[in-house]
Amino acid sequence: MNCYCGPMCIFIIVILIFPLCLRLYRKLFLVKFAVKNKVSLVGKTVIVTGANTGIGYQTALECAKRGARLIIACENKPLGTKALETIIKTTGNKNVIFKLLDLASLKSVRSFADDVLKNEERLDILINNAAVLMRGNEMTSDGFQLEMQINYISPVLLTLLLIDMLKKSSPSRIINVASIAAKYAKNFTPETINSYTDHISSYANSKLGNILFTQELGKKLKDSNISVFSLHPGITNTGIAIKNFNPIFRVCAAIFSRVFFMSPEEGAQTTLYTALEQGIERFSGCFFEQCKVAKPYKTATNPALAKQIWDVTLNLLKYDEDKIR
Ligand SMILES: *[C@@H]1O[C@H](CO)[C@@H](O)[C@H](O)[C@H]1NC(C)=O
């Protein structure tokens, strides 16, 4: 057989075929969860932080579709309101509200929680989804490393402030969206929780914080009917990573990530799985990936560290652990 297909031609075919196969695989296997699972959220209240865009938006949209009372929590009012309008229009569910939540400010977290405690009747699912990247070299007015506060410290405070309400509404769930980046955590200790070395370990350490907090909280809540899960959503094309790049690099990165990364809808599946799937309560404290329990990364297999980080975090927040029981 004559074959005129040289190396260049094979290269081009691979370049074209590979992304197509990848997309097809994702379409067939990944978006399935939300399609298969029929759990209704009528009568339930769900909070999604960072619900204005990306995975958070898709998560919120699916919860609204299922009839939940949905609270969109984010720091950008125009974007939050826009997401609210789109979600109401798409789902027909008018029981959707926006509340301002700036995770870079503990005061904002407290007033958000107060507002929820005062004005809501219940809380069934809290989804700590919001996160930032490449902001570790900034400080907040609370005196914390900005990225650590937004990704880890503030979500911890928010969760603790809402625990009683989750308890009253139980069975209920807390979902902490972490990341595979936690693998690359470096020198994350009670002493370094607030220090900055570089962008990668900054993000990785905050995401390891999410996983360790989930483990420890799972232990504390084992006699309650609140389940807590952390997860890796998959490498998703949400724009979070490229928000701070220069324009030319951003265009290339945007094209690359459209081809190789998951869409936000696909990226929301593991979050939705941990929020909705029945019968996974026994895995409380665990870490999930691709809609199943996953082995935690080596960096997250130190129960003593989980306890130390828990202690120092509650200390920083001046939060008395006895309030959880
Ligand atoms: C948890 O739920 C079970 C089953 O509904 C119930 O019997 C039990 O009292 C609940 N426990 C707590 C601590 O609320």
Side-chain angles (χ1 to χ4, degrees):
M1 195 178 77
N2 279 337
C3 179
Y4 299 104
C5 196
M8 190 59 198
C9 174
I10 289 172
F11 179 74
I12 289 169
I13 288 174
V14 168
I15 287 279
L16 290 177
I17 300 274
F18 180 67
L20 283 177
C21 291
L22 212 62
R23 289 210 82 87
L24 194 65
Y25 163 80
R26 290 197 216 112
K27 279 267 162 322
L28 289 176
F29 297 103
L30 283 182
V31 181
K32 263 187 169 167
F33 171 72
V35 177
K36 261 191 330 209
N37 180 292
K38 299 282 181 244
V39 168
S40 159
L41 292 176
V42 172
K44 312 266 186 202
T45 300
V46 182
I47 294 178
V48 183
T49 70
N52 56 316
T53 177
I55 297 174
Y57 173 78
Q58 292 296 335
T59 304
L61 182 69
E62 186 63 34
C63 293
K65 257 188 214 163
R66 288 163 190 256
R69 170 164 177 78
L70 170 69
I71 301 172
I72 294 176
C74 66
E75 103 315 333
N76 187 319
K77 192 167 182 201
L79 289 182
T81 322
K82 196 167 149 238
L84 171 122
E85 282 161 8
T86 320
I87 288 176
I88 291 179
K89 215 165 80 194
T90 321
T91 64
N93 180 350
K94 293 194 182 64
N95 203 1
V96 182
I97 59 167
F98 165 81
K99 282 189 200 294
L100 194 73
L101 170 65
D102 179 6
L103 293 166
S105 150
L106 295 183
K107 193 169 155 234
S108 171
V109 174
R110 289 183 196 281
S111 67
F112 173 88
D114 283 346
D115 181 345
V116 170
L117 295 175
K118 208 172 103 207
N119 297 311
E120 295 299 318
E121 273 154 33
R122 55 184 301 120
L123 174 58
D124 302 274
I125 307 174
L126 168 64
I127 303 180
N128 288 310
N129 161 83
V132 292
L133 259 180
M134 318 222 348
R135 304 284 302 275
N137 49 352
E138 297 167 46
M139 296 297 278
T140 66
S141 52
D142 296 304
F144 295 121
Q145 194 241 78
L146 180 85
E147 193 164 316
M148 189 56 80
Q149 177 165 345
I150 292 180
N151 295 4
Y152 168 69
I153 294 172
S154 286
V156 169
L157 178 63
L158 180 63
T159 304
L160 296 175
L161 294 173
L162 296 175
I163 282 269
D164 276 343
M165 195 174 218
L166 286 156
K167 229 172 237 178
K168 269 187 255 153
S169 318
S170 72
S172 50
R173 292 190 186 185
I174 301 160
I175 316 300
N176 295 314
V177 179
S179 168
I180 197 169
K183 243 187 204 175
Y184 306 102
K186 253 194 339 236
N187 192 24
F188 184 51
T189 69
E191 291 75 37
T192 60
I193 194 164
N194 215 12
S195 55
Y196 170 78
T197 40
D198 58 80
H199 284 314
I200 298 209
S201 32
S202 213
Y203 185 71
N205 288 359
S206 71
K207 292 288 126 185
L208 178 58
N210 298 146
I211 298 176
L212 296 178
F213 171 62
T214 303
Q215 288 173 3
E216 197 61 25
L217 186 61
K219 279 187 201 163
K220 311 276 181 207
L221 294 176
K222 80 177 174 339
D223 296 324
S224 74
N225 286 323
I226 311 177
S227 318
V228 51
F229 305 113
S230 66
L231 65 111
H232 171 58
I235 309 286
T236 304
N237 173 23
T238 63
I240 179 185
I242 57 175
K243 222 156 65 181
N244 305 309
F245 288 173
N246 80 50
I248 295 171
F249 191 56
R250 200 155 51 190
V251 169
C252 299
I255 294 170
F256 180 84
S257 53
R258 257 202 96 79
V259 173
F260 289 100
F261 296 171
M262 293 196 256
S263 70
E265 189 193 358
E266 291 159 348
Q269 298 306 306
T270 304
T271 304
L272 289 165
Y273 178 87
T274 52
L276 302 173
E277 183 73 346
Q278 301 302 294
I280 59 170
E281 292 81 0
R282 66 183 184 282
F283 298 115
S284 183
C286 290
F287 174 79
F288 286 69
E289 222 178 307
Q290 295 199 16
C291 297
K292 51 184 187 290
V293 180
K295 231 174 81 183
Y297 310 119
K298 194 156 168 281
T299 48
T301 49
N302 181 349
L305 179 63
K307 173 78 172 75
Q308 285 168 1
I309 295 287
W310 167 276
D311 286 342
V312 74
T313 307
L314 266 61
N315 226 340
L316 288 171
L317 293 169
K318 300 179 181 63
Y319 188 90
D320 178 8
E321 177 174 338
D322 291 337
K323 281 196 248 172
I324 297 173
R325 286 170 222 287

